[in-house]
């Protein structure tokens, strides 16, 4: 059986980098400045998207890039959990 739809990596490769950056920046600003539970949930949502991207691209990244991404992911999850409390 053939897959009829391209994977997420192929779809991400075709997106406009400026648009992706601006949308991510907007989500991050909303997540960091929204009060309480809403901000925490948006931050954890952003961390989940980053985790998905990290898992998808893990095999093609250098060890330094992996470490930086894991640090950023840890910081996002920590900020999200702190905002929830």
């Amino acid at each position: 059986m053939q897959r009829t739809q391209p994977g997420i990596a192929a779809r991400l490769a075709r997106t406009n980098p400026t648009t992706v950056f601006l949308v991510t920046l907007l989500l991050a600003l909303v997540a960091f400045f929204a009060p309480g539970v809403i901000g925490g949930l948006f931050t954890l949502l952003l961390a989940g998207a980053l985790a998905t991207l990290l898992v998808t691209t893990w095999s093609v990244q250098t060890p330094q890039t992996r470490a930086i991404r894991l640090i950023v992911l840890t910081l996002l999850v920590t900020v999200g959990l702190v905002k929830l409390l």
Side-chain angles (χ1 to χ4, degrees):
M1 179 186 291
Q2 289 183 345
R3 293 181 64 180
T4 57
Q5 295 196 359
I8 190 164
R11 284 186 276 163
L12 284 175
R14 290 191 309 262
T15 59
N16 182 352
T18 305
T19 304
V20 171
F21 173 76
L22 291 175
V23 168
T24 304
L25 179 65
L26 178 68
L27 284 175
L29 289 174
V30 167
F32 292 146
F33 291 114
V37 175
I38 300 296
L41 290 176
F42 270 116
T43 306
L44 291 176
L45 179 70
L46 194 59
L50 181 63
T52 302
L53 184 63
L54 181 69
V55 168
T56 304
T57 61
W58 185 264
S59 63
V60 296
Q61 299 300 323
T62 63
Q64 294 85 5
T65 305
R66 292 175 185 171
I68 291 170
R69 288 185 178 188
L70 285 173
I71 290 168
V72 170
L73 181 62
T74 303
L75 288 172
L76 273 176
V77 169
T78 303
V79 168
L81 292 176
V82 167
K83 284 185 76 83
L84 284 176
L85 298 176

